[in-house]
Amino acid sequence: MFRKGLATLAVGAAALAGVSGTAPTASAADPTGDVYVSLSDGGRFVQDSWKWHEFFGIGNEIPLTGDFNGDNRDDVATFTQGTSGDVYVALSTGNGFSGTSVKWHDNFAFGTETPLVGDFNGDNKDDIVTFTRSGTGDVFVALSTGSGFAGTSVKWHDFFSIGNETPLVGDFNGDGKDDIATFTRGDTSDVYVALSTGSGFSPSSVWHNHFGIGGEIVDSGDFNGDGKDDIVTFTRGEAGDVYVSLSDGTKFVQDSWRWHEFFAIRTELPEVGDFNGDGKADIATFTRGAAADVFVASSTGSAFVGTSIKWHDHFATNTEVPRVGDFDGDRKADIATFLLGGTTSLRTAIVDVARGELGVKYPGCLKYGDCARYNWCAYFATWVWDRAGIKGVPRGKGVATDLGSWGAERGLFKRRPAGQVGNPAVGDWVIYGEPGSGMGGHVAIVASVNSNGTISTIDGNAAGGSPTTSKVALSTINPITARAGGNNVLISGYVSPPGA
């Protein structure tokens, strides 16, 4: 699979180093979750301000890249971590990332675990791996089906990359299956590798006994184009040295082989990819900050050539998170940047508010509106948006289909085509019944968009025979066939939160 030659396998420590600062407060107009891409033409990154997604990867999530559906274009995934452990994917179309909040796994990479990406079974679809680290050192893998990651708690190794070690992914023996490496760093600076069997990682062994010391940033890539991934370390600081050790399939051979003497200085962020498409992985560095320059040094197979060769002069500003991948499938690695932003996002805030109301019924529902006398799904839907910080929500409207009209008048209504799911997104209102058709409809809030074509919704005035016996409930539906409301009507479309 060509993507391995790009070495776009994400690196936990390298990719997130230096991400700091206070995130802005989420609002309907903020750039939270924007993703920009600039494609390589072999000598530079061409585009400026080309937005490929407007809501993906927010807050403290970890965005990574990989070809998850095997179409030779790299896609994006984001790991929510924390207690939820959700993994969302947006697939590349070649000129954008398609899908908002399409959940591919709901129980993976919790807390401070380190998630990474690689094709561990050699089927040309990238999978995900998480390293628990700490004292347990467990390694779990979920394989890609092309539309989801299968497997919960499938342990592929039970003692690898412990404590503060840094794990990496790469095909180190060149058999077409990605393996794992860990760098002990510190004074020992050993490098251990565990090879993939396609269903597990074999016992680890030392492949190098002095590489990636202290706070250096390590990465992997096929730097000499022989089909086996090698390792690189960036000293950064004022020196900016770059060292490489090549794989012979059983070990990393060289010691202290300097391939560049001034690259990725101070706190710049280095990444690896085959940017000119010659089959050898090159290196890039992102200065970030206000300058936001991107420099590239190309591999000759025995060195990285070029100092201060600028491939872009304004990309990944301030504390944005840059990533690398072949997003258009032309066999040249491109660059992406994730704005993240917000301690939480607007859409996430909507769902968080709605989830906090699950189980509420009469008389608790009176805070939404007059739930003693009227069906109160619309009262609930507008209350949630209002509590999430959206201005101008029509709190006085108690008829579900009127919310559809409100959305249509503002260009926020997204019609669901007959026989299709349409384009629901987390935080949207789901409108049952034609906008403006009067009583007998229903409205719910999208909690997640699932990889199997279903969506999960949070509904007010649900699971009961009357307003006073109904409650706020979570359900999973097929948007094509789902019916609700007094008239048992289909979904007509979705209303997006203003500015989201």
Side-chain angles (χ1 to χ4, degrees):
M1 162 178 201
F2 180 74
R3 204 189 141 282
K4 300 238 222 9
L6 298 175
T8 51
L9 307 172
V11 183
L16 294 178
V19 177
S20 60
T22 302
T25 302
S27 72
D30 74 24
T32 294
D34 288 342
V35 185
Y36 292 89
V37 166
S38 188
L39 301 177
S40 171
D41 68 0
R44 66 189 174 109
F45 301 119
V46 178
Q47 293 82 10
D48 297 308
S49 302
W50 191 14
K51 189 187 293 188
W52 275 40
H53 206 294
E54 61 183 13
F55 188 73
F56 195 87
I58 53 93
N60 295 318
E61 294 178 10
I62 297 180
L64 301 178
T65 65
D67 182 8
F68 302 117
N69 63 348
D71 67 352
N72 295 316
R73 293 191 298 262
D74 279 329
D75 315 303
V76 290
T78 188
F79 297 76
T80 63
Q81 296 208 289
T83 57
S84 63
D86 292 328
V87 185
Y88 296 92
V89 168
L91 299 175
S92 173
T93 64
N95 57 18
F97 296 122
S98 176
T100 300
S101 301
V102 180
K103 190 185 295 186
W104 278 42
H105 206 294
D106 61 3
N107 192 27
F108 198 86
F110 295 98
T112 58
E113 294 178 14
T114 299
L116 294 176
V117 169
D119 180 9
F120 302 114
N121 62 349
D123 67 350
N124 294 321
K125 295 187 291 289
D126 278 327
D127 316 303
I128 53 174
V129 60
T130 187
F131 300 80
T132 63
R133 302 202 302 169
S134 67
T136 60
D138 290 328
V139 183
F140 296 92
V141 167
L143 299 176
S144 173
T145 65
S147 59
F149 297 121
T152 301
S153 301
V154 180
K155 190 184 294 187
W156 278 42
H157 205 293
D158 60 7
F159 194 72
F160 193 87
S161 195
I162 61 172
N164 293 319
E165 295 179 12
T166 298
L168 280 181
V169 168
D171 183 7
F172 302 117
N173 63 350
D175 68 349
K177 298 186 292 291
D178 278 325
D179 316 303
I180 53 175
T182 188
F183 295 74
T184 63
R185 307 165 68 90
D187 295 330
T188 58
S189 300
D190 292 326
V191 184
Y192 290 86
V193 168
L195 300 175
S196 173
T197 65
S199 58
F201 296 120
S202 62
S204 63
S205 60
V206 176
W207 277 44
H208 204 292
N209 60 12
H210 192 72
F211 196 89
I213 63 174
E216 295 176 6
I217 288 183
V218 292
D219 207 337
S220 66
D222 182 7
F223 301 114
N224 62 348
D226 69 349
K228 297 185 290 290
D229 279 334
D230 316 302
I231 52 175
V232 61
T233 187
F234 300 82
T235 64
R236 297 204 303 175
E238 296 303 318
D241 290 327
V242 184
Y243 295 91
V244 167
S245 188
L246 301 177
S247 171
D248 69 1
T250 61
K251 64 183 181 301
F252 300 119
V253 179
Q254 293 82 11
D255 297 309
S256 302
W257 190 13
R258 185 164 60 187
W259 277 40
H260 206 294
E261 60 183 12
F262 193 71
F263 195 85
I265 61 172
R266 301 186 182 96
T267 58
E268 294 177 11
L269 289 185
E271 286 278 357
V272 170
D274 182 6
F275 302 113
N276 59 2
D278 67 352
K280 297 186 292 289
D282 314 305
I283 53 175
T285 187
F286 297 79
T287 65
R288 300 204 302 173
D293 292 324
V294 185
F295 296 93
V296 168
S298 300
S299 173
T300 66
S302 58
F304 297 122
V305 297
T307 300
S308 301
I309 299 179
K310 191 183 295 186
W311 279 41
H312 205 292
D313 61 4
H314 194 73
F315 196 86
T317 63
N318 299 317
T319 58
E320 294 175 17
V321 176
R323 291 288 190 260
V324 169
D326 180 10
F327 303 118
D328 62 346
D330 68 349
R331 301 176 68 83
K332 295 186 290 289
D334 314 305
I335 53 175
T337 186
F338 294 78
L339 271 64
L340 300 179
T343 52
T344 185
S345 70
L346 181 63
R347 289 183 179 274
T348 300
I350 291 170
V351 177
D352 287 345
V353 171
R355 284 188 181 276
E357 301 300 301
L358 287 173
V360 171
K361 57 185 178 181
Y362 182 82
C365 59
L366 288 170
K367 61 185 175 183
Y368 313 136
D370 189 355
C371 65
R373 294 188 299 164
Y374 303 110
N375 291 323
W376 45 276
C377 60
Y379 293 141
F380 172 73
T382 58
W383 181 89
V384 169
W385 274 20
D386 183 69
R387 287 297 296 268
I390 298 174
K391 304 302 182 184
V393 178
R395 287 287 290 127
K397 292 187 181 294
V399 177
T401 60
D402 285 351
L403 298 186
S405 297
W406 180 87
E409 291 165 0
R410 289 157 179 78
L412 301 172
F413 181 75
K414 302 176 292 186
R415 180 165 294 280
R416 183 187 67 81
Q420 300 180 35
V421 171
N423 189 29
V426 163
D428 282 355
W429 286 336
V430 182
I431 306 297
Y432 290 82
E434 281 297 314
S437 60
M439 305 289 285
H442 182 66
V443 60
I445 293 171
V446 179
S448 69
V449 182
N450 307 316
S451 60
N452 62 0
T454 64
I455 62 174
S456 296
T457 64
I458 299 175
D459 304 49
N461 195 53
S466 69
T468 56
T469 59
S470 298
K471 62 181 180 180
V472 179
L474 176 69
S475 62
T476 298
I477 63 169
N478 179 346
I480 299 174
T481 59
R483 292 177 177 270
N487 293 337
N488 197 33
V489 286
L490 291 166
I491 293 171
S492 62
Y494 313 94
V495 177
S496 297

